[in-house]
Amino acid sequence: MAGESRRGLEVRGLSVRSQASGKQLIADIFLDAKHGEVLWIVGPSGAGKTTLLRAIAGIEHIHGGSVVVDGRVLANRSIEVPPEQRRVGMVFQNAALFPHLSAADNVAFGLNGRARPARVTRAQEMLERVELADVAERLPHTLSGGEAQRVALARALATDPDVMLLDEPFSGLDPQLRTDLAAAVCRVLRDSGTVAVLVGHNPEDAMRFADRISVMHDGRVLQLGTPEEIYSHPNDAFCAGILGHVNRIPVQVQGGQVATPFGPVGAPGFSDGSAAELLVREEGLLLGDGTPVTVRSVRSLGALAVVAIQPRDDSRILHARVPADSAPVEGAEILVRLDPARAFVFPVGG
């Protein structure tokens, strides 16, 4: 029974409509997350990511489906546990610290049911966990953006929640700080053993730090899996494109394959004559042998470079991502081949 009680978060068929307009905000959402796991939700603005977090937290009324944590029903069509009784912590894009309280007092704020010495001890423990023991007496306005977010995380974890929800916690930070903070926060979340669901826009961070990724679009979950599963086996063109830049080539299926400037690519399951779209990841175009192309431009990304290439007798420009130290020069004539593992055929508009 102990294992049964620790099965984590289960969202089944969850639907939410706008209270004002009745518009469907999210529909038929299925996902799960285990203790000690970071589930990262990616998708464009308006996909329903924040609405999903609010529904799990109890801030948003649901209209269908269920939210269950460790076997305990938090919400369904007949049950709606109040937010303060759900044992769900939440960290927002804005750290929302109390400006007149020290970092330690902010962390201790949610522990009002405990004696003062216990609150002080717990606050210090949590600040140590997020590697901020030395800022305990400082006021929020003296903290950096990354420090403020870690204090907010410590405050949310101090109550020992079963589920932690984080809504765009790294937004607005410079790229290096964002990456460093994402690594630190994900490490703390795993060490805490809580169920962690994080919403973030940056797909590279999701690929690097998430245990699993949920791709959302238009209020629905399109795919749920490990970063490698979604990267290598996307369900559709949207999922393929959200985890990295892709080249898009209109094609037509003949004999179970499509013709490309770099040779045929398999297209099983399509009928002959079907219009389709070939998506090729930039790193799926390999320099060295294959089809002759002309290098139209080279753009440095530091350790990597994006090379714009044009196959002979073809007006389209494609892009390859290669190590910077092996990038060709603009105007060069080179050979390029396609890695079939980084190429996907999908129906037009699919």
Side-chain angles (χ1 to χ4, degrees):
M1 292 297 292
E4 180 74 8
S5 67
R6 295 286 291 174
R7 60 192 186 190
L9 170 69
E10 298 167 284
V11 174
R12 297 289 177 262
L14 196 66
S15 297
V16 174
R17 295 194 301 270
S18 166
Q19 299 283 57
S21 67
K23 177 186 176 183
Q24 193 86 45
L25 301 178
I26 58 175
D28 204 28
I29 299 290
F30 284 81
L31 58 80
D32 60 88
K34 305 292 189 251
H35 287 274
E37 174 185 51
V38 176
L39 173 64
W40 199 302
I41 302 176
V42 298
S45 296
K49 305 183 300 295
T50 296
T51 298
L52 173 58
L53 293 195
R54 289 169 57 87
I56 294 171
I59 303 171
E60 199 80 53
H61 173 70
I62 72 169
H63 295 85
S66 63
V67 178
V68 181
V69 175
D70 293 335
R72 177 187 175 218
V73 177
L74 300 185
N76 60 22
R77 297 194 73 173
S78 58
I79 297 172
E80 195 149 7
V81 176
E84 65 274 13
Q85 296 177 19
R86 293 197 176 197
R87 293 182 53 81
V88 173
M90 196 157 185
V91 175
F92 299 93
Q93 179 175 335
N94 181 335
L97 300 179
F98 297 107
H100 62 293
L101 297 181
S102 68
D105 286 340
N106 264 283
V107 175
F109 184 82
L111 305 173
N112 287 332
R114 305 187 189 188
R116 174 67 182 173
R119 293 168 58 200
V120 170
T121 299
R122 179 64 171 168
Q124 193 62 34
E125 288 174 353
M126 299 312 299
L127 286 173
E128 289 174 0
R129 181 177 289 184
V130 299
E131 301 178 358
L132 286 179
D134 58 337
V135 308
E137 300 307 316
R138 288 169 54 184
L139 292 173
H141 76 273
T142 70
L143 302 176
S144 69
E147 288 171 338
Q149 281 294 39
R150 281 190 284 163
V151 171
L153 176 63
R155 180 175 62 186
L157 287 172
T159 58
D160 196 24
D162 296 323
V163 177
M164 272 295 307
L165 308 175
L166 300 94
D167 190 8
E168 297 282 3
F170 317 124
S171 179
L173 302 177
D174 67 73
Q176 186 59 57
L177 177 57
R178 185 195 69 226
T179 298
D180 291 345
L181 183 60
V185 165
C186 290
R187 182 175 64 251
V188 170
L189 290 169
R190 289 191 185 94
D191 290 346
S192 73
T194 189
V195 174
V197 182
L198 187 153
V199 163
H201 270 298
N202 190 279
E204 291 184 7
D205 288 346
M207 289 285 291
R208 290 180 63 179
F209 303 121
D211 296 300
R212 288 188 302 148
I213 295 173
S214 174
V215 181
M216 288 191 68
H217 185 48
D218 285 342
R220 298 181 182 273
V221 170
L222 301 184
Q223 190 166 359
L224 174 65
T226 66
E228 180 56 30
E229 286 169 347
I230 296 177
Y231 183 83
S232 298
H233 306 286
N235 280 353
D236 58 22
F238 183 86
C239 293
I242 201 166
L243 291 188
H245 295 287
V246 292
N247 297 286
R248 297 174 181 267
I249 305 173
V251 291
Q252 191 172 61
V253 179
Q254 293 293 339
Q257 60 185 21
V258 298
T260 81
F262 311 99
V265 172
F270 286 80
S271 59
D272 276 3
S274 297
E277 185 177 40
L278 173 69
L279 274 64
V280 182
R281 297 204 180 280
E282 290 182 344
E283 54 273 32
L285 294 176
L286 308 176
L287 281 54
D289 60 344
T291 300
V293 303
T294 301
V295 176
R296 294 305 183 193
S297 68
V298 179
R299 180 165 56 91
S300 173
L301 300 178
L304 299 174
V306 174
V307 181
I309 58 174
Q310 184 176 14
R312 290 181 183 173
D313 303 320
D314 197 323
S315 61
R316 74 171 53 88
I317 301 294
L318 304 175
H319 295 89
R321 188 174 296 234
V322 302
D325 57 6
S326 63
V329 297
E330 184 174 330
E333 299 289 329
I334 62 173
L335 300 178
V336 171
R337 62 186 172 87
L338 184 151
D339 177 2
R342 297 290 181 258
F344 317 101
V345 181
F346 294 110
V348 171

